[in-house]
Amino acid sequence: MFNSFRRKLTVSYLALIILLLIIAGGLVFTSFRQYYLHNLETRLTREAYLIADMVAYAESNHNQRMQELADTASRDNATRVSIIDRDGVVLGDSQFDSTQMEIHKSRPEVYQALRGEVGVAMRYSTTEKVKLLYVAVPQASGGVVRIAMPLAELTAINKHILFNLFLVLLISAVLAAILSSLMAKKFSGPLDDITDVIKEMADGNLTRRVSYQGIDELSILAESYNRMADSIEQGINEISEVKNRLEALLENSVNGILMVGGDGRISYINPVAISLLGLQENVIGRNKNEVINDYEIIAAIDRARKDLQPVRQEKVLHILGGKTVEMNIVPILSEDEAFQGILVILNDISELKRLEQVRKDFVANVSHELKTPLAAISGFAETLLDEEGEKSNHVSEFSRIIFDETQRLNRLVNGLLELSRMESEKMELNVLPVDIGEVVQNTLNAVQQQHQSVNICFDYIPPPAGIVIDSDPVLISQVLSNLLDNAIKYSPKGGRIQVEVLDYADRVEINVVDQGIGIPSQEIPRIFERFYRVDKARTRKTGGTGLGLAIAKHLLENLGGQISVQSTVAQGSKFTCTLFK
């Protein structure tokens, strides 16, 4: 990857090394050129002074003599020699005809030599068409001796030096590239490891750590990362535990929980709320007005959002068969009182409402049940007080009625006391091996003996073999007696009651089937409530208390069993007592 840290580091190292090599090569090249020019100038200066001495010892300054000296000196040092007088006139030149040459007094090097200094100049010669190095020195006669040397040798040397420098630079660049790559790999390796670990952390892997060891800044970075990863992993684990506990709490709560965000969209809903509101599973992120099909709930949520005050009210959900829920709608505010959303808690209070209705019915029924015999007792007792002694037949009849009503009150009170005892404390059971067929037969005989005057036929279908279970025979007999009494009260004259015992691998069932008036389907869930009657007038006429089925249910529950009923109006009912082995 071109933009990787290792590539950038390698290129940086290589560029730095090459730059240093270029700077060093340039300095070396410049220093060598200056050193060469300085040596060349020194050599030419010495030679010029030697020629000046030769000119001083010459017998005459004639042009011919000066030309000869110039030619001789030029052959000895392979340079161009010019002898110039104080007026700038060329007296002799080793390469050109001095008589044809112009005045050289204005030449920089000649000008300096005429002033008694060593003149040095480097310029392109229009005469020789090459670049020359000129060195001029003063002579004793006041003239100037000038030596000129072409710089072609210097140019060749410079080219050779530049070629060697380029070759060295190229080799150094290759070595620098290899060295830079190795150094970059060494320095970037730990960073690559840290980068890979951080990428894995971003992907959710919090277990990997950096294994780099050292004493430099990278080791400090690696150690700091490992400590940070440990802290993050521990924090995420703690958050996950809290999140899981919170999710378990919300998902398994008996209350419906719904959260609406500040934008009016549903941000959370648990299964109970989905069930209570009759919603689909995929409602997260949708607007509440689109998914909640109840105007009152939407209005309550909007009111809580508008007033920023909790709203509490009851609501009947007709879509779920008339379930009653208590809605607690609470606005969620931040620390700076900014609105963030709405929390809706739905509490199903249908059972509480049902129990409240049962309580109301119980109070009304008890009042009615007590009021009827008390009114009869009071009325007949008052009549007896007014009767005279000769009406003994009235006294006998009224006394019988008072007695019967008193017995009815006694049965009612005893039934209430028995129910209260069963509900307030756990009954002590006398558990022993019981022959179910024998208990049923004995109970049926006792009921037949008690109701001899009733024109009812009893059919008993015993089990094919003896059934012995561990239970309380007294309570079983009491349950069966209550069921038989109930069947007798609701059966017509000449009716038939069938008792059947069925044996299964894990349970025993006792069925009591009558041909009575039957029970409407909507009444079946309430027939085991105390004082609840399907036909109230018929039951009061027969002297029933309305507690028999409630007592039978509680007795079976204490035995670890259960009771159920199947019934068809005008055809009869079937009560099933189940005792588990």
Side-chain angles (χ1 to χ4, degrees):
M1 185 169 58
F2 183 76
N3 291 326
S4 65
F5 178 77
R6 178 181 297 180
R7 180 65 59 82
K8 291 180 179 179
L9 192 61
T10 301
V11 172
S12 299
Y13 282 149
L14 182 60
L16 180 61
I17 293 174
I18 292 176
L19 178 62
L20 292 176
L21 288 175
I22 291 175
I23 294 175
L27 291 176
V28 169
F29 176 76
T30 303
S31 300
F32 176 79
R33 186 172 184 272
Q34 291 178 349
Y35 175 77
Y36 181 82
L37 288 175
H38 177 72
N39 287 340
L40 186 60
E41 291 173 2
T42 303
R43 181 171 68 86
L44 294 179
T45 300
R46 288 199 300 270
E47 292 178 358
Y49 274 116
L50 289 176
I51 296 172
D53 291 339
M54 293 173 60
V55 171
Y57 289 104
E59 297 178 355
S60 65
N61 290 334
H62 191 268
N63 289 0
Q64 183 65 33
R65 179 60 179 165
M66 294 297 105
Q67 183 64 43
E68 292 175 356
L69 287 175
D71 292 337
T72 301
S74 175
R75 286 193 299 269
D76 292 340
N77 54 28
T79 59
R80 174 188 172 187
V81 178
S82 300
I83 301 173
I84 304 169
D85 64 9
R86 66 178 61 188
D87 296 324
V89 177
V90 178
L91 300 178
D93 190 272
S94 62
Q95 293 184 3
F96 298 97
D97 184 3
S98 60
T99 59
Q100 301 297 321
M101 298 179 66
E102 60 184 9
I103 302 299
H104 279 49
K105 189 175 183 179
S106 60
R107 300 291 195 271
E109 68 280 4
V110 175
Y111 176 77
Q112 289 183 334
L114 290 175
R115 297 178 59 186
E117 301 174 359
V118 177
V120 179
M122 187 169 51
R123 67 178 179 273
Y124 181 80
S125 173
T126 57
T127 305
E128 296 189 40
K129 309 297 181 180
V130 294
K131 191 174 183 179
L132 300 174
L133 174 64
Y134 296 95
V135 175
V137 298
Q139 56 175 316
S141 62
V144 174
V145 174
R146 187 183 72 174
I147 297 178
M149 182 175 183
L151 293 179
E153 182 180 357
L154 177 60
T155 302
I157 294 174
N158 288 341
K159 289 181 180 180
H160 181 70
I161 293 174
L162 286 176
F163 175 77
N164 290 334
L165 285 177
F166 177 77
L167 184 62
V168 171
L169 182 62
L170 181 61
I171 296 174
S172 300
V174 174
L175 296 176
I178 298 174
L179 180 62
S180 300
S181 178
L182 295 176
M183 294 179 64
K185 182 178 180 180
K186 179 180 179 181
F187 292 143
S188 65
L191 291 179
D192 292 340
D193 188 20
I194 294 175
T195 302
D196 293 339
V197 173
I198 292 177
K199 286 181 179 179
E200 291 194 17
M201 173 187 284
D203 294 335
N205 182 12
L206 300 177
T207 59
R208 185 175 171 184
R209 297 292 182 268
V210 180
S211 59
Y212 179 77
Q213 300 293 331
I215 57 174
D216 55 5
E217 289 81 357
L218 289 178
S219 65
I220 298 175
L221 177 61
E223 182 181 357
S224 300
Y225 167 80
N226 291 336
R227 290 201 306 268
M228 179 188 69
D230 292 337
S231 300
I232 292 176
E233 183 177 10
Q234 181 180 359
I236 290 179
N237 290 336
E238 293 176 355
I239 293 173
S240 297
E241 291 179 2
V242 173
K243 176 178 177 290
N244 292 336
R245 287 197 297 267
L246 182 59
E247 286 183 350
L249 175 64
L250 294 176
E251 295 295 319
N252 296 282
S253 174
V254 296
N255 296 327
I257 300 175
L258 171 71
M259 291 192 67
V260 180
D263 57 355
R265 299 184 180 276
I266 296 175
S267 58
Y268 176 80
I269 185 170
N270 71 345
V272 176
I274 291 175
S275 175
L276 290 175
L277 297 177
L279 305 179
Q280 301 297 323
E281 293 289 343
N282 56 345
V283 298
I284 301 297
R286 297 179 60 185
N287 191 284
K288 69 179 190 306
N289 297 335
E290 298 177 1
V291 297
I292 299 178
N293 298 322
D294 194 294
Y295 171 76
E296 293 185 18
I297 298 178
I298 296 176
I301 294 175
D302 292 338
R303 186 164 69 254
R305 176 171 184 172
K306 178 181 178 182
D307 300 336
L308 296 182
Q309 294 294 329
V311 175
R312 180 178 181 179
Q313 69 182 55
E314 293 182 3
K315 167 66 182 171
V316 178
L317 300 176
H318 298 287
I319 59 175
L320 295 178
K323 278 192 175 184
T324 303
V325 296
E326 181 185 55
M327 298 188 302
N328 288 279
I329 304 174
V330 182
I332 303 174
L333 305 178
S334 62
E335 295 181 357
D336 57 353
E337 300 298 323
F339 175 77
Q340 292 185 325
I342 293 290
L343 173 64
V344 181
I345 301 177
L346 304 174
N347 183 19
D348 186 359
I349 59 174
S350 300
E351 183 64 18
L352 294 177
K353 288 293 183 179
R354 188 189 70 81
L355 293 176
E356 183 180 356
Q357 186 62 40
V358 169
R359 180 187 61 79
K360 292 179 180 178
D361 293 345
F362 173 75
V363 173
N365 288 331
V366 168
S367 301
H368 189 79
E369 295 295 336
L370 293 177
K371 181 179 180 181
T372 301
L374 286 176
I377 293 172
S378 177
F380 285 110
E382 185 178 358
T383 303
L384 285 177
L385 291 175
D386 295 336
E387 288 290 336
E388 298 179 358
E390 66 273 9
K391 297 180 180 180
S392 57
N393 58 334
H394 289 174
V395 172
S396 176
E397 181 183 358
F398 292 165
S399 297
R400 182 185 57 79
I401 295 174
I402 291 174
F403 177 78
D404 291 341
E405 295 296 334
T406 303
Q407 290 300 109
R408 182 181 171 189
L409 277 176
N410 186 55
R411 290 194 302 271
L412 181 61
V413 172
N414 288 337
L416 287 173
L417 291 174
E418 186 174 1
L419 270 177
S420 177
R421 179 176 60 83
M422 286 187 293
E423 291 178 346
S424 62
E425 60 184 21
K426 187 173 181 63
M427 296 182 63
E428 295 184 2
L429 303 178
N430 183 23
V431 179
L432 48 86
V434 177
D435 188 330
I436 297 298
E438 181 181 347
V439 171
V440 173
Q441 182 66 68
N442 294 335
T443 304
L444 185 58
N445 292 337
V447 171
Q448 285 180 320
Q449 185 68 29
Q450 184 180 356
H451 296 86
Q452 290 181 355
S453 58
V454 179
N455 186 17
I456 299 292
C457 294
F458 292 91
D459 294 333
Y460 174 48
I461 303 176
I467 303 173
V468 179
I469 65 172
D470 293 333
S471 189
D472 190 327
V474 176
L475 297 186
I476 295 175
S477 178
Q478 188 175 355
V479 170
L480 186 56
S481 296
N482 285 337
L483 293 179
L484 290 171
D485 286 340
N486 185 74
I488 291 170
K489 291 172 185 175
Y490 287 96
S491 295
K493 290 182 180 181
R496 184 177 297 275
I497 297 176
Q498 178 181 296
V499 179
E500 182 182 16
V501 178
L502 301 176
D503 186 18
Y504 296 94
D506 60 340
R507 68 189 188 278
V508 176
E509 290 185 356
I510 304 173
N511 295 324
V512 178
V513 184
D514 63 55
Q515 298 175 345
I517 62 175
I519 307 170
S521 59
Q522 68 272 16
E523 304 285 348
I524 289 179
R526 300 196 63 186
I527 62 172
F528 294 104
E529 296 177 7
R530 62 193 72 183
F531 295 114
Y532 189 82
R533 297 183 178 87
V534 177
D535 189 345
K536 299 178 175 59
R538 179 183 179 91
T539 306
R540 292 192 180 99
K541 184 178 180 180
T542 57
T545 62
L547 298 175
L549 293 180
I551 293 174
K553 178 183 177 183
H554 280 83
L555 289 175
L556 276 174
E557 288 177 350
N558 279 286
L559 290 172
Q562 60 188 23
I563 188 171
S564 60
V565 60
Q566 299 176 4
S567 182
T568 304
V569 176
Q571 294 184 15
S573 303
K574 175 184 177 181
F575 286 86
T576 300
C577 299
T578 303
L579 296 171
F580 296 97
K581 294 180 179 180

